[in-house]
């Protein structure tokens, strides 16, 4: 049977994950809006939605849970979550998930 303290700790962990996910989505919004609606002549980049949103949401949750693990003194979990966060960041960087549309990226000096 769980004790009350374990139940409260689990609830705090779930809240941290949800808040981290929401923070990741809020950080993604400017990139998503630019990628989905900011192109020249209606050009869009759906990869911003299909890759960028999940990367930012999962990254936010992993970062929040890593901070919670450090606060609780669970160093192995924190180290594992930092490794997950590094993997998510490498995936995001490798696939350039926050890239805007081509017209926004390649606009030279005349703009």
């Amino acid at each position: 049977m769980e004790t009350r303290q374990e139940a409260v700790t689990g609830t705090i962990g779930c809240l941290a994950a949800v808040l981290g996910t929401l923070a990741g989505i809020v950080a993604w919004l400017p990139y998503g809006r630019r990628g989905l609606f900011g192109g020249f002549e209606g050009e869009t980049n759906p990869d911003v939605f299909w890759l960028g949103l999940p990367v930012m949401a999962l990254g936010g949750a992993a970062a929040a849970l890593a901070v919670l693990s450090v606060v609780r003194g669970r160093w192995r979990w924190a180290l594992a979550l930092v490794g997950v966060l590094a993997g998510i960041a490498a995936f995001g960087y490798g696939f350039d998930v926050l890239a805007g549309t081509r017209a926004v990226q390649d606009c030279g000096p005349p703009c």
Side-chain angles (χ1 to χ4, degrees):
M1 240 176 136
E2 279 189 17
T3 64
R4 176 171 229 142
Q5 183 179 8
E6 290 173 345
V8 169
T9 302
T11 303
I12 290 171
C14 287
L15 286 175
V18 167
L19 290 175
T21 300
L22 290 175
I25 291 171
V26 167
W28 171 82
L29 282 175
Y31 297 100
R33 183 179 52 87
R34 183 183 67 194
L36 292 175
F37 305 114
F40 178 69
E41 295 181 352
E43 179 187 5
T44 62
N45 184 5
D47 290 340
V48 171
F49 181 73
W50 297 112
L51 292 174
L53 182 60
V55 165
M56 295 298 284
L58 291 174
L65 290 174
V67 169
L68 182 67
S69 296
V70 168
V71 169
R72 291 187 62 214
R74 306 264 174 127
W75 298 105
R76 288 184 184 170
W77 278 104
L79 189 60
L81 286 167
V82 167
V84 167
L85 192 58
I88 291 171
F91 177 84
Y93 182 75
F95 284 98
D96 200 17
V97 297
L98 296 179
T101 57
R102 298 299 298 168
V104 173
Q105 291 175 350
D106 295 335
C107 188
C111 292

